């Protein structure tokens, strides 16, 4: 089975940057769509960004366009989320997920990591 492990979260100030990593193992990923989601306390899990292992097209939530960039390194089996100009409203647990389709809903992604905490202070 495919396993995903996130890393790179931490405590930063507003305006700072972080890069999250999602390391994948245990399967073949060329046909998977990789998504980043986040969940803040008291809120539903929401889509942040997505990318296809075998392609280059990307998809972003409106709230992060121009600030976040999703990328991948197929040789390292790793997906990244570069987060610039972080805001307090970006505070959440960030999850990496793998699915079969380029969708924004969490239920479309069967495989999930355990998450990494990102906290942005004002």
């Amino acid at each position: 089975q495919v396993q995903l492990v996130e890393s790179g979260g931490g405590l930063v100030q507003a305006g700072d940057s972080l890069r999250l990593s999602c390391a994948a193992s245990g399967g073949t990923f060329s046909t998977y769509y990789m998504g980043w989601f986040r969940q803040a306390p008291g809120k539903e899990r929401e889509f942040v960004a997505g990318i296809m292992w075998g392609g280059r097209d990307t998809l972003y939530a409106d709230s992060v366009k121009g600030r976040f960039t999703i990328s991948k390194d197929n040789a390292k089996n790793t997906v990244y989320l570069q987060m610039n100009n972080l805001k307090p409203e970006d505070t959440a647990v960030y999850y990496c997920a793998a699915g079969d389709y380029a969708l924004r809903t969490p239920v479309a992604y069967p495989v999930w990591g355990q998450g990494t905490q990102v906290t942005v202070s004002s």
Side-chain angles (χ1 to χ4, degrees):
Q1 73 284 0
V2 175
Q3 299 179 26
L4 305 175
V5 179
E6 304 95 333
S7 62
L11 173 63
V12 298
Q13 293 182 310
D16 286 352
S17 297
L18 281 174
R19 189 180 74 162
L20 306 183
S21 298
C22 173
S25 63
T28 302
F29 319 111
S30 61
T31 63
Y32 281 80
Y33 192 77
M34 306 297 296
W36 284 100
F37 291 77
R38 66 187 183 187
Q39 187 166 24
K43 300 181 67 176
E44 293 186 345
R45 191 168 299 188
E46 65 176 348
F47 177 84
V48 176
I51 192 169
M52 192 76 177
W53 269 115
R56 299 171 60 191
D57 292 344
T58 57
L59 184 66
Y60 296 95
D62 289 341
S63 59
V64 306
K65 286 181 179 178
R67 298 190 299 121
F68 291 10
T69 302
I70 188 170
S71 62
K72 59 186 176 70
D73 187 335
N74 294 80
K76 296 182 180 295
N77 294 330
T78 301
V79 178
Y80 305 97
L81 184 67
Q82 178 67 45
M83 305 186 295
N84 296 328
N85 191 25
L86 283 161
K87 304 175 180 180
E89 51 263 43
D90 295 319
T91 296
V93 177
Y94 282 72
Y95 298 91
C96 181
D100 294 325
Y101 306 100
L103 297 173
R104 295 174 181 265
T105 176
V107 300
Y109 294 77
V111 182
W112 292 83
Q114 292 302 304
T116 184
Q117 177 71 48
V118 173
T119 302
V120 185
S121 62
S122 60

